[in-house]
Amino acid sequence: TEIYTLSLHDALPIYDADGGCNAYRVFLNDSLGDCVVAEFANTILGLTFATLGKPTPINDSDVRANYFAQTGGRDSGLDLASANDYWNQHGLVDANGQLHKPGVYGGVDPADIVGFDLANFYCDGLDIAISTPSSFMNSNDGDTLDWTGGRPGPVDHCVRISGKRADGCFKLVTWGGIRWVTPKWITACTGEAWATPLIGDRLCPGGQTLEGFDKDELLRQFLVFQGKSF
């Protein structure tokens, strides 16, 4: 299977990269502006829950240390591109001392909702930077959010998109829980999106993903996603 081989008129199936994970955590994002690192930690939790049957434990203290190592000790927030560069070099350590790295990553255009959907499906989730209008800030775990117009505000938060349900709404992971957002909400409120497949965490003990892809196939797919020959 190759990325972007589906017709624009073909609907992707419903999918969930995290296998119904319910172990998401806030990772200090209620007291620090570390949403980018918290999102990366929750990505690891979700993927390892799906592939290993239980989430890989990650300590708040390691999330804090990773965040401040990138900001120089300031609570100043992070941008996704710089964070991906850092993690590709240094990774994020889990409670067992194992490093987790993106390995490969690339930008996705959130205004192209078909491409966004395809990248989300084939890369088992996307890291996105979003605006947080009051309707989002006042939402609760499990809510579904649509966009009805107006100005969404500045891009100031990072979340994970890791699935899609039958009505076309995308699964958004943040603050230890899940929201569901419509395609219209994605295009209105997303400032940037990145595919970070975390290939090591996508592989089950047998060496293949839940979809039956091995490491070489995942790397080949990612080259296709980036529009490169292989």
Side-chain angles (χ1 to χ4, degrees), residues 24-26 42 141-142 160 171-179:
Y24 297 115
R25 289 170 41 205
V26 176
N42 274 319
D141 189 15
R160 169 171 163 77
K171 179 183 176 182
L172 182 155
V173 178
T174 189
W175 299 321
I178 294 168
R179 275 58 169 176

Side-chain angles (χ1 to χ4, degrees), residues 5-62:
T5 56
L6 292 179
S7 163
L8 298 184
H9 303 290
D10 290 338
L12 284 173
I14 61 172
Y15 54 89
D16 181 2
D18 302 341
C21 177
N22 60 359
Y24 297 115
R25 289 170 41 205
V26 176
F27 284 118
L28 305 174
N29 195 213
D30 53 350
S31 59
L32 292 174
D34 68 340
C35 57
V36 171
V37 186
E39 183 276 332
F40 189 57
N42 274 319
T43 296
I44 296 165
L45 289 190
L47 290 178
T48 55
F49 179 90
T51 58
L52 302 177
K54 60 181 180 180
T56 294
I58 298 175
N59 295 324
D60 282 353
S61 59
D62 289 319

Side-chain angles (χ1 to χ4, degrees), residues 135-180:
S135 57
F136 184 84
M137 295 299 294
N138 295 323
S139 66
N140 297 308
D141 189 15
D143 283 355
T144 297
L145 302 173
D146 194 8
W147 187 249
T148 56
R151 298 175 63 88
V155 174
D156 58 2
H157 189 43
C158 176
V159 301
R160 169 171 163 77
I161 295 287
S162 66
K164 187 181 73 173
R165 66 187 184 191
D167 63 359
C169 289
F170 292 98
K171 179 183 176 182
L172 182 155
V173 178
T174 189
W175 299 321
I178 294 168
R179 275 58 169 176
W180 295 91

